[in-house]
Amino acid sequence: MRRANDKPRSIRQRLHGALTGFPQSLLAFTALHLCVLALNLPYLSKIPGWFFKLREKPAGPLWLVAALAAVPFAIVHRVLAIRGRHAARLVALVLLGGAMQHGFALLEGRGLDGMRDRIVHTGHADFARAAAAEPSVLGVIVGYDEKLFEGSLGVYANSKPPGQLVLYMVFERLSRPFASGAAPEERLAAFQTFAALVWPFVSYLVIVPLFLLGRSFTSDENAMLASALYLFVPSVSLITLHADQVFFPLFTVFCVWLATLAFERRSLPLAIASGVAVYLAGFCTFPLFLVLPIAGATTLSLALGSRTGERGLKPLWITWGCILGAMVVTDIAFRIAFDYDLVQRYRDATAFHGQWRRQFVPSPRAYFNYAFMGTLEYVVWLGVPLAWLVAHHFRRSISAVLLGAPSGIALPSSILLALFAALALFGETKVETARLWMFTVPFCCLLAADEIARRYPDDRRRIVWWVIPLQWLTVYLTKTHQDFF
């Protein structure tokens, strides 16, 4: 209670108090990025080869903008404030995330088309059209290469394994009861509408395994904060109706969590299931095999620590023997049952990718130029506040590893940094890293939440409620001044 002789604090004094202890560099870099977006400054667009150009889009009615800010802040505040009831809190975040995606799409003033056009007109809409036209899921898996040669699966399928198209086909079959007829065009229209309505919510199911994974290395509340931060990532909110956003982050985190759980419980059946899950994730897109080093780091971190109650590496070798063995057996089964050659499909896909896009000309200068541009694109689509926290977590983790004292999530953090470096330098991709690397975003949210807890243990709540509004503002200005296609 304020004493009688205390003078009311001015707005300037309150702002100064709120900023005391807040990282000024974070605020400065974020303000710079927000000004570039809000004022349409062409600094990023002038970078040779920069993919996401500035372009004006509707700002939306004031009532919708206010609702898009007030409702998420109120729900997330409540979710982070209460204790226990983890399932109810996670369900609330999943529903809120899907609603936010629809809300940002509605800013365009085109109703559901603001969302649906991503699966109607963009290049990856080829998968939707092929899903509605192909009569058999099994026929696609078995005859994938023949169908690619015939050109019946569209262009983009040439750079993918069969699993991505199979995902589209599964959801297309789920949407058929809502089709107005049996013709491929009618089924396609039903699928496009079904995906536009349902996939935004599916894309946030990743926060469930993210929470379960996070609580193995940090507190329940930090794991919940990581799940909440995922709702305010620009790439997640705006690069919608792509498998990279809807499914791949979920598959990645699920595989890492399952491997971690198998080791924690010393469960051979869970380890075998983890190996099968990793193979199936790679059957959908090859980069998801990168879950192996991340999962290796999480399990090794637990083996070196005391969280499992048993030190020593023997259980670790047993767990990973089962995981890798299950992957080998699954590959043999796919070769026998479906005549699917993983190695040959990867070679054909990478050859087509390089030949088709011709976006990478190997040279020492090109490697570093593309690495810089890809990293910068990923940072601005992750959100500068989150990127700042993740960068400091990387620095903290590398120091801990070099000192021989990696605790908590330091080792997985260091491995993730190494993966980013490898992707940037050797991934031979100079554009759309915001989409192609999206499977790593949940781990960045976990690192950001952990960094807040470690860097600001006594001021966690205030820092969180600076970061979340700044992230929201980044999403909004990216939507109205840049957006994805």
Side-chain angles (χ1 to χ4, degrees):
M1 180 180 296
R2 184 168 57 86
R3 292 177 296 182
N5 59 346
D6 285 345
K7 294 182 180 180
R9 300 175 69 193
S10 67
I11 295 178
R12 181 178 179 180
Q13 289 172 324
R14 292 180 180 179
L15 183 60
H16 181 269
L19 286 172
T20 301
F22 188 77
Q24 305 300 312
S25 58
L26 184 156
L27 190 62
F29 285 125
T30 304
L32 178 63
H33 179 220
L34 295 180
C35 286
V36 167
L37 291 172
L39 301 178
N40 293 316
L41 301 178
Y43 299 127
L44 294 176
S45 299
K46 285 185 176 180
I47 298 176
W50 187 260
F51 187 72
F52 295 101
K53 305 296 184 180
L54 291 173
R55 56 182 183 142
E56 287 296 306
K57 301 194 77 172
L62 183 59
W63 68 267
L64 180 55
V65 177
L68 272 173
V71 174
F73 291 168
I75 294 176
V76 170
H77 183 274
R78 180 60 179 165
V79 164
L80 297 180
I82 63 177
R83 296 294 181 266
R85 303 175 62 186
H86 302 315
R89 294 158 73 188
L90 290 171
V91 169
L93 291 178
V94 170
L95 296 177
L96 174 62
M100 287 175 62
Q101 276 191 30
H102 279 289
F104 282 114
L106 288 174
L107 291 174
E108 297 184 20
R110 300 189 296 125
L112 189 61
D113 284 339
M115 177 72 70
R116 181 168 44 202
D117 278 0
R118 301 288 172 79
I119 202 170
V120 176
H121 299 300
T122 60
H124 281 219
D126 279 355
F127 290 107
R129 288 187 282 269
E134 288 297 322
S136 169
V137 173
L138 181 61
V140 164
I141 298 175
V142 174
Y144 194 72
D145 289 328
E146 290 78 3
K147 291 179 180 294
L148 291 177
F149 181 77
E150 296 169 358
S152 60
L153 302 182
V155 177
Y156 285 82
N158 287 273
S159 62
K160 307 291 182 183
Q164 183 160 335
L165 178 55
V166 169
L167 285 172
Y168 279 76
M169 295 180 73
V170 169
F171 277 88
E172 190 276 328
R173 269 51 174 180
L174 292 175
S175 70
R176 284 190 178 182
F178 308 101
S180 59
E185 296 79 9
E186 295 167 324
R187 295 200 304 264
L188 175 61
F191 173 43
Q192 290 165 338
T193 300
F194 181 81
L197 291 170
V198 174
W199 281 12
F201 297 94
V202 174
S203 66
Y204 287 99
L205 293 178
V206 61
I207 69 173
V208 177
L210 177 62
F211 170 79
L212 297 174
L213 176 66
R215 68 193 305 191
S216 295
F217 298 93
T218 184
S219 68
D220 288 357
E221 297 316 308
N222 285 339
M224 189 64 69
L225 173 59
S227 300
L229 290 175
Y230 192 73
L231 274 63
F232 299 94
V233 176
S235 58
V236 176
S237 297
L238 303 179
I239 304 179
T240 54
L241 298 190
H242 280 67
D244 305 82
Q245 181 252 12
V246 179
F247 303 110
F248 298 161
L250 171 62
F251 295 168
T252 304
V253 180
F254 177 78
C255 289
V256 174
W257 167 71
L258 193 58
T260 305
L261 184 66
F263 174 72
E264 283 186 308
R265 295 188 178 181
R266 306 295 196 264
S267 171
L268 298 186
L270 285 178
I272 293 171
S274 176
V276 175
V278 171
Y279 186 90
L280 293 178
F283 181 68
C284 294
T285 185
F286 295 116
L288 292 199
F289 283 120
L290 292 175
V291 303
L292 290 172
I294 301 175
T298 60
T299 52
L300 180 59
S301 182
L302 292 177
L304 296 176
S306 59
R307 296 295 297 271
T308 62
E310 180 185 352
R311 298 179 65 88
L313 297 180
K314 183 177 179 180
L316 183 67
W317 301 131
I318 294 174
T319 298
W320 275 96
C322 290
I323 291 174
L324 297 177
M327 291 180 63
V328 172
V329 172
T330 306
D331 182 58
I332 293 172
F334 268 60
R335 290 174 184 271
I336 295 173
F338 308 124
D339 194 27
Y340 174 66
D341 188 332
L342 169 66
V343 176
Q344 188 59 48
R345 177 86 290 271
Y346 175 76
R347 289 174 177 171
D348 292 344
T350 52
F352 176 84
H353 184 269
Q355 199 174 43
W356 172 44
R357 304 196 73 162
R358 299 187 182 279
Q359 62 183 15
F360 191 89
V361 181
S363 71
R365 182 176 181 179
Y367 276 111
F368 287 102
N369 286 346
Y370 295 163
F372 169 77
M373 185 165 58
T375 302
L376 181 60
E377 180 189 307
Y378 183 85
V379 164
V380 297
W381 277 88
L382 180 66
V384 172
L386 280 188
W388 188 94
L389 291 166
V390 171
H392 281 275
H393 198 286
F394 285 153
R395 179 188 58 79
R396 182 192 302 273
S397 299
I398 291 295
S399 298
V401 171
L402 293 178
L403 292 173
S407 60
I409 202 169
L411 188 57
S413 176
S414 301
I415 292 298
L416 186 63
L417 175 59
L419 284 180
F420 276 129
L423 286 169
L425 288 170
F426 309 114
E428 299 193 0
T429 297
K430 74 172 185 177
V431 296
E432 284 196 83
T433 57
R435 174 178 65 84
L436 297 173
W437 298 356
M438 203 183 301
F439 65 95
T440 63
V441 168
F443 301 110
C444 290
C445 292
L446 185 57
L447 300 187
D450 190 61
E451 181 65 16
I452 290 174
R454 292 176 180 273
R455 181 178 286 264
Y456 309 102
D458 301 322
D459 212 9
R460 177 177 177 273
R461 184 183 297 271
R462 183 169 65 90
I463 298 300
V464 167
W465 286 105
W466 268 104
V467 170
I468 286 179
L470 288 174
Q471 284 288 131
W472 181 93
L473 193 57
T474 303
V475 176
Y476 176 73
L477 291 178
T478 303
K479 174 65 182 179
T480 55
H481 294 275
Q482 183 174 281
D483 205 7
F484 180 77
F485 294 123

